[in-house]
Amino acid sequence: MDKLVIEGGVRLVGTTEVSGSKNSLLPILAATLLTKDKCVIRNAPDLRDTLSMLRILRFLGLNTDFKENIITIRPNGLEKYEAPYKLVSTMRASFCVLGPLLARYKKAKVSLPGGCIIGVRPVDLHLKGLSKLGARLQIKEGYVFAEAKRLQGDHIYLGGPFGSSVLATGNVMMASTLARGTTVIESAACEPEVVDLARFLIKMGAKIKGEGSPTIEIQGVKELHGVDYEIIPDRIEAATLIMAAAVTRGEVLVKRARAEHLTAVLEKLKDVGVTLKNVKDGIFVKGTQKKFKPFDVVTLPYPGFPTDAQAQFMTLMSITEGISVITEKIYPDRFMHVAELNRMGAQIKREGPYAVVHGIKFLSGAPVMASDLRASAGLVLAGLVARGKTEISRIYHLDRGYEQLDAKLKKLGARIERVKE
Ligand code: UD1
């Protein structure tokens, strides 16, 4: 197992580049099950989650090839429709194969993904949507058994207790592309990754309107064809790189960061005192030399502040003198990083879905443990600003969703090493 060793205190300077979006890629890979043609996906990040999804697709009878950020998928005629527990449990996004399998083969058997470290994470909205499309669903022995001769479009409300759901919107949208008639999804997720998936499907021949708004309309078609598609840059990786520059008070050009996907994050950083400039192909960050100003964050569905940037902002709050508050409205238990940041000297108290951060002058390096993907990113930022040495173990979490983050930071001057434990 690898760990990261970071000597903090270096101001990051230079140019870096954002990789392709993980959260776009995973459902888009599932969408390739909707056609019998070849699909090519460009700008695919080389991540552990990418490899997990490709493993599932191979299990389902697709040939996959992945070289230099280009994925080529070719069905091999096997038409398998069962996704087993050992594959689905490694990554929740793999539950997204359910909609495409059902639409294409009329039946599917997909393992329920189970809980994860950031909370319960149910899939009831996925199931509600597919059942509204006419699927007969049964849950047996930890699996969803789904069947439908041909799905039938309907009016579907997909709002849940925490608002819209990104992957449920994707799953139902994919299934309805091949359904009879028109499907309207209300309270659809508006995330850029949902828009990217819709554009991929439209390029395959699907008829979709309203992507990026809470009402998406899909007119079913008989079949979809192969595509060659480039996915969008990863807005959460962009946010993390921008934050790395900001917390170290550095000067970094983050190429391919798209300001239009990052409004809530950039607004907060400006409030704190970071100078940001939109340039032709990205965002230029100039960390202020003045004191950061304390601030509050409430995570919400897009275009609200992303839960996936919450841990990174908690690190910034930790070194911002004064009191800042985080309200986590998507995953009320997503606070595993609190205890680790406190080991580095941070003063954070968690009460239910709130974290109250008493910002201090500096963090001290310490051995800490990564618990999930974004918590790991928060700890990396903490290591970059802390005095002394930070050792982050279990960084396989980081490798699930960041393409060579340590190498990118090193190129900007960070003293960061990956070592075998
Ligand atoms: C996606 C992202 C993840 C991000 C999350 C929220 C991918 C691969 N992952 O996850 O990085 O943190 O969006 O922006 O795109 N919920 C239900 N019932 C459901 C589904 C979800 O109650 O059937 C709840 C969840 O527990 C959570 C909220 O809805 O509280 C939003 O979750 P959701 O948008 O579904 O997250 P994912 O799509 O799994």
Side-chain angles (χ1 to χ4, degrees):
M1 247 193 279
D2 291 351
K3 68 177 175 183
L4 286 181
V5 180
I6 308 174
E7 281 285 346
V10 179
R11 211 174 144 246
L12 300 188
V13 178
T15 300
T16 187
E17 192 164 320
V18 181
S19 299
S21 164
K22 167 182 90 74
N23 288 355
S24 274
L25 177 65
L26 299 176
I28 281 177
L29 284 173
T32 64
L33 285 161
L34 289 163
T35 177
K36 52 183 176 3
D37 299 340
K38 176 178 120 176
C39 292
V40 177
I41 300 156
R42 298 176 193 276
N43 197 32
D46 190 352
L47 307 168
R48 259 167 43 106
D49 275 7
T50 308
L51 303 180
S52 302
M53 197 60 164
L54 291 178
R55 204 172 303 127
I56 291 174
L57 294 186
R58 283 195 296 276
F59 190 88
L60 291 168
L62 306 183
N63 290 330
T64 69
D65 179 72
F66 187 16
K67 265 189 229 102
E68 290 166 11
N69 298 107
I70 300 174
I71 296 178
T72 308
I73 311 268
R74 282 189 190 84
N76 63 18
L78 274 179
E79 304 202 351
K80 283 168 39 186
Y81 55 87
E82 179 178 335
Y85 176 68
K86 72 172 192 317
L87 295 179
V88 177
S89 59
T90 57
M91 187 186 61
R92 294 184 50 82
S94 48
F95 195 66
C96 267
V97 299
L98 179 60
L101 285 176
L102 184 61
R104 179 86 194 286
Y105 304 136
K106 327 261 180 255
K107 57 182 172 181
K109 178 182 170 191
V110 177
S111 167
L112 286 162
C116 81
I117 192 87
I118 66 173
V120 186
R121 301 189 80 179
V123 289
D124 56 316
L125 296 172
H126 299 241
L127 301 181
K128 174 185 168 183
L130 296 174
S131 137
K132 280 284 262 175
L133 291 174
R136 284 180 304 282
L137 303 170
Q138 252 194 315
I139 295 182
K140 267 193 313 201
E141 295 151 9
Y143 280 79
V144 179
F145 292 75
E147 246 185 310
K149 274 217 174 69
R150 186 163 179 206
L151 297 170
Q152 173 69 51
D154 204 342
H155 207 100
I156 304 170
Y157 175 72
L158 272 192
F162 300 96
S164 54
S165 160
V166 176
L167 291 178
T169 303
N171 222 344
V172 176
M173 182 166 69
M174 287 189 275
S176 45
T177 55
L178 295 178
R180 203 182 292 129
T182 303
T183 300
V184 176
I185 304 177
E186 296 255 31
S187 198
C190 303
E191 270 71 359
E193 295 77 17
V194 175
V195 175
D196 213 24
L197 173 62
R199 293 199 177 144
F200 180 81
L201 294 167
I202 290 167
K203 213 170 172 194
M204 289 176 102
K207 293 198 170 144
I208 302 176
K209 283 195 298 203
E211 68 276 16
S213 82
T215 307
I216 302 181
E217 190 181 306
I218 306 117
Q219 232 186 309
V221 295
K222 281 236 164 69
E223 58 177 12
L224 296 175
H225 52 75
V227 280
D228 189 320
Y229 189 82
E230 178 167 331
I231 60 164
I232 55 170
D234 194 305
R235 67 191 163 102
I236 303 300
E237 189 205 1
T240 306
L241 291 168
I242 290 169
M243 298 280 299
V247 294
T248 61
R249 298 171 186 274
E251 271 186 43
V252 175
L253 169 60
V254 183
K255 283 173 97 170
R256 307 194 72 223
R258 289 210 188 157
E260 72 271 25
H261 293 165
L262 288 162
T263 313
V265 165
L266 301 181
E267 286 294 312
K268 283 288 163 202
L269 286 173
K270 284 179 196 158
D271 292 348
V272 173
V274 179
T275 305
L276 300 162
K277 215 160 103 192
N278 293 350
V279 291
K280 196 168 153 258
D281 186 26
I283 296 174
F284 181 71
V285 193
K286 194 167 176 339
T288 176
Q289 300 310 315
K290 293 191 197 134
K291 275 189 171 181
F292 294 134
K293 294 187 207 113
F295 61 104
D296 295 341
V297 156
V298 181
T299 65
L300 289 168
Y302 189 84
F305 187 92
T307 173
D308 285 350
Q310 184 252 99
Q312 299 87 316
F313 269 76
M314 192 180 281
T315 296
L316 173 59
M317 288 174 169
S318 301
I319 50 159
T320 299
E321 284 178 82
I323 294 181
S324 300
V325 179
I326 290 181
T327 308
E328 178 51 75
K329 288 216 172 175
I330 309 286
Y331 299 115
D333 289 322
R334 189 177 210 174
F335 285 118
M336 300 303 287
H337 39 289
V338 169
E340 300 304 300
L341 286 173
N342 282 347
R343 299 196 71 252
M344 299 178 73
Q347 289 181 18
I348 307 165
K349 278 203 184 112
R350 183 207 161 176
E351 279 293 337
Y354 307 102
V356 180
V357 186
H358 290 251
I360 51 173
K361 276 209 171 70
F362 61 89
L363 296 173
S364 325
V368 288
M369 210 177 274
S371 56
D372 77 71
L373 170 54
R374 306 304 172 187
S376 322
L379 293 177
V380 170
L381 297 187
L384 292 176
V385 283
R387 291 192 178 169
K389 188 163 84 175
T390 298
E391 291 189 14
I392 308 174
S393 52
R394 299 198 180 167
I395 55 154
Y396 51 86
H397 290 292
L398 196 71
D399 297 334
R400 281 192 51 196
Y402 285 94
E403 192 177 53
Q404 299 193 7
L405 184 64
D406 42 324
K408 288 185 186 182
L409 294 172
K410 197 168 183 169
K411 210 177 134 225
L412 296 173
R415 285 177 298 205
I416 182 166
E417 296 298 333
R418 182 180 281 256
V419 295
K420 291 249 173 282
E421 269 189 293

